[in-house]
Amino acid sequence: MEAKEIYAKTERQFPGKVSGFKGDVFDPYFQVEPQAIVEVCRYLRDDPESKFEVLSDLTAVDLPKENKLQVVYHLFSYSHRHAMVLKADLPREEPHISTVENVWEAANWFEREVFDLFGVNFEGHSDLRRILLPEDWVGHPLRKDYVEQEEYDGISTQREPLVEKLLR
């Protein structure tokens, strides 16, 4: 099934909850309303024509000029050998969206990473805590306005840029 057909079928199934299909890019995608993410994902997994058995990646993009964080879901079907990307826009102030952990178990660690590095809260997640940084770390390092602490646990975080070091 072509990406355009997958989008059209999903749009018919969820009127007003999906939009903005972009098919002339390397990874075709469409927008999903955050409130509908679980039902859309479950549909795309269970529908025999799409059958997206795999959540191959889940990440986020910080868009401060638009005052939003965008959660990005990469889906793949081994059965049909097609892929699709879903995007859900959240406000930067209090970003929250339902977990898709009950749709794909792989979402567990992906969502923990996005929580840790971007600060997105995945409601209903079974174990939402930092996965890369210590629990008491301040902030979310992949946000564009992140300011690194000068020291952590008595250890300086200040260092000479590696590029300058290598050019000597």
Side-chain angles (χ1 to χ4, degrees):
M1 210 172 175
E2 294 292 320
K4 188 189 325 186
E5 296 170 299
I6 295 167
Y7 170 72
K9 188 173 180 185
T10 308
E11 187 181 34
R12 283 192 301 276
Q13 186 72 24
F14 300 97
K17 295 180 180 179
V18 299
S19 62
F21 174 71
K22 190 83 165 164
D24 58 347
V25 293
F26 184 75
D27 289 321
Y29 68 88
F30 60 87
Q31 298 287 134
V32 178
E33 289 298 315
Q35 305 83 346
I37 195 65
V38 174
E39 61 184 334
V40 169
C41 287
R42 187 168 285 120
Y43 168 76
L44 290 170
R45 181 198 65 190
D46 296 343
D47 178 62
E49 291 181 316
S50 59
K51 200 164 182 158
F52 287 108
E53 305 104 335
V54 178
L55 174 65
S56 57
D57 195 15
L58 187 160
T59 190
V61 178
D62 185 13
L63 302 165
K65 289 180 183 173
E66 298 172 42
N67 200 30
K68 66 183 177 185
L69 290 172
Q70 191 172 69
V71 182
V72 183
Y73 303 79
H74 290 258
L75 313 182
F76 187 76
S77 171
Y78 283 108
S79 303
H80 300 299
R81 297 283 189 221
H82 57 220
M84 181 62 77
V85 175
L86 311 179
K87 298 181 178 187
D89 294 341
L90 308 175
R92 287 183 94 238
E93 292 73 43
E94 289 187 42
H96 59 90
I97 191 166
S98 293
T99 182
V100 293
E101 184 181 23
N102 294 325
V103 180
W104 299 285
E105 286 184 36
N108 182 299
W109 282 32
F110 289 142
E111 290 176 349
R112 284 182 59 192
E113 183 178 9
V114 170
F115 167 73
D116 195 359
L117 300 176
F118 289 94
V120 175
N121 288 298
F122 291 91
E123 295 170 349
H125 191 281
S126 66
D127 188 21
L128 194 60
R129 59 189 166 98
R130 290 194 183 266
I131 192 168
L132 299 171
L133 297 167
E135 285 294 324
D136 60 347
W137 192 265
V138 177
H140 305 284
L142 290 184
R143 286 198 177 203
K144 300 228 169 113
D145 58 356
Y146 176 72
V147 177
E148 188 174 6
Q149 304 169 103
E150 290 187 24
E151 86 173 27
Y152 173 76
D153 204 18
I155 301 168
S156 174
T157 61
Q158 306 303 304
R159 60 206 165 278
E160 183 180 0
L162 289 175
V163 173
E164 292 177 17
K165 199 174 192 176
L166 293 171
L167 294 176
R168 286 192 216 151

